[in-house]
């Protein structure tokens, strides 16, 4: 089998804040913006990995989900325990300094983790955990 990672999804609650975070701050390229208002699907690629897509979706866009279930998902997102993504950089300290200097929530500073990586963590505007690993 020859499988590769092609697309991954994260929920978002504010398309404009998500654009500022993923495009303007992290440097991802916006390749698609579909929908209107808060019901927008934003597709990003990293300039160094144009074949791997990150799609930000409205939380629980499925019409079969109840209002109570939607509220639960949004509450879990706000706590940062609903979804997460791990990114990688060769310059963790520089990346951390740039993000820390902006208006984002820092979860952890660059740290050597017991599982063998050095990383830091932030929350995106929707509350998703964004971990960034140091790579060679």
């Amino acid at each position: 089998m020859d499988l590769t990672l092609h697309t991954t999804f994260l929920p978002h609650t504010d398309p404009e804040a998500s654009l500022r975070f993923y495009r303007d701050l992290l440097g991802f390229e916006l390749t698609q913006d579909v929908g209107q208002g808060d019901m927008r699907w934003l597709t990003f690629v990293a300039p160094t990995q144009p074949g791997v897509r990150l799609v930000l979706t409205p939380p629980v866009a499925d019409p079969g989900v109840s209002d109570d279930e939607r509220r639960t998902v949004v509450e879990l997102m706000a706590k940062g325990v609903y979804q997460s993504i791990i990114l990688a950089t060769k310059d963790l300290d520089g990346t951390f300094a740039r993000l820390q200097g902006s208006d984002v929530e820092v979860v952890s500073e660059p740290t050597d983790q017991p599982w063998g990586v050095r990383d830091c963590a932030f929350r995106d505007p929707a509350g998703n955990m964004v971990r960034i690993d140091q790579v060679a």
Side-chain angles (χ1 to χ4, degrees), residues 5 12 27 37 48 50 63-64 67 84 88 90 92 106-107 114 134:
L5 180 60
H12 75 91
T48 57
D67 289 339
S84 63
K90 292 179 180 179
L92 184 65
V106 175
V107 176
Q134 172 82 44

Side-chain angles (χ1 to χ4, degrees), residues 111-119 133-134:
T111 304
D112 291 321
Q113 300 293 353
W115 53 87
V117 300
R118 183 166 187 265
D119 74 354
D133 286 0
Q134 172 82 44

Side-chain angles (χ1 to χ4, degrees), residues 10-11 25-26 35-36 52 54 66-67 69 76 78 82 94 100 104 110 127 130 133:
L10 283 177
L25 189 58
L26 295 183
Q36 59 186 351
V52 180
L54 168 62
S66 72
D67 289 339
E69 292 166 330
L76 291 170
Y82 186 68
Q100 185 182 35
V104 298
V130 177
D133 286 0

Side-chain angles (χ1 to χ4, degrees), residues 54-75:
L54 168 62
V55 181
L56 301 184
T57 64
V60 203
D62 186 327
V65 175
S66 72
D67 289 339
D68 286 342
E69 292 166 330
R70 272 188 188 71
R71 276 191 292 278
T72 299
V73 167
V74 171
E75 288 171 6

